[in-house]
Amino acid sequence: YLGTFIFIIPTTKSMKKKRLWLVCGVCLCVLAIACGLLLYQFSREDTSGAFKQTLTDYLEAMKTGTSKAVDLATFPDEIIKQEYLLSPQHIIDYEIESEDVVSDSLVAYTLLIKDNIKSDVYTRVYYFVGNLDGKYTVFINVDYVPENLRAGLNVAKYSYVDEDSLGSSGSVSE
């Protein structure tokens, strides 16, 4: 009733202008909020795509070996990086089983990987893609994820039972 009452009261020309400006202002605010929400949603989708694309680029590079893949990964120190480069391992096939968004800067992936060393079975592994200073990078072990990206990361969930095993669930038959 109050809204109807306000518009029925005879108004002066200046009151009509004030009311018009008020309505326009409210409409602009609603429009700005709607646009902001849409932009936020699109930026989140783009970011999610960048994480997965980085992982896919890494996995495809690993089909040829570590020499190309090393540029897409980050290691805790140079010794581990050099050992990685000396590895004869390469991926034959892979499947992304699941994706777990840990934070805006880190996504955990569960993968099934078939490599040239165990070419008859798929092995379950955990890889991570992080956004470090605006650059997307792969971490091939939960222990390689730096402290500044670990907020919300359940390290035990992605730790391997056997330190010599690539996957916590072992091998998966075809």
Side-chain angles (χ1 to χ4, degrees), residues 36-57:
L37 290 173
L38 282 173
L39 287 173
Y40 175 74
Q41 182 63 30
F42 286 132
S43 70
R44 298 247 330 138
E45 288 173 6
D46 289 345
T47 301
S48 175
F51 284 98
K52 195 165 195 172
Q53 186 61 53
T54 301
L55 177 66
T56 303
D57 292 347

Side-chain angles (χ1 to χ4, degrees), residues 94-150:
Y94 65 88
E95 177 187 332
I96 300 172
E97 271 194 320
S98 66
E99 174 182 316
D100 181 19
V101 178
V102 176
S103 68
D104 288 344
S105 300
L106 185 68
V107 178
Y109 293 93
T110 302
L111 308 161
L112 291 177
I113 291 182
K114 184 189 286 190
D115 64 21
N116 61 315
I117 297 169
K118 294 182 181 179
S119 61
D120 57 334
V121 294
Y122 282 86
T123 303
R124 183 168 288 115
V125 297
Y126 306 113
Y127 285 177
F128 306 85
V129 178
N131 185 342
L132 279 175
D133 303 321
K135 180 186 175 213
Y136 294 92
T137 187
V138 175
F139 304 100
I140 60 172
N141 188 307
V142 70
D143 294 328
Y144 297 178
V145 177
E147 286 298 323
N148 62 331
L149 294 181
R150 287 187 178 214

Side-chain angles (χ1 to χ4, degrees), residues 17 27 151 157 169:
K17 279 186 179 181
C27 289
K157 180 178 177 181
S169 300

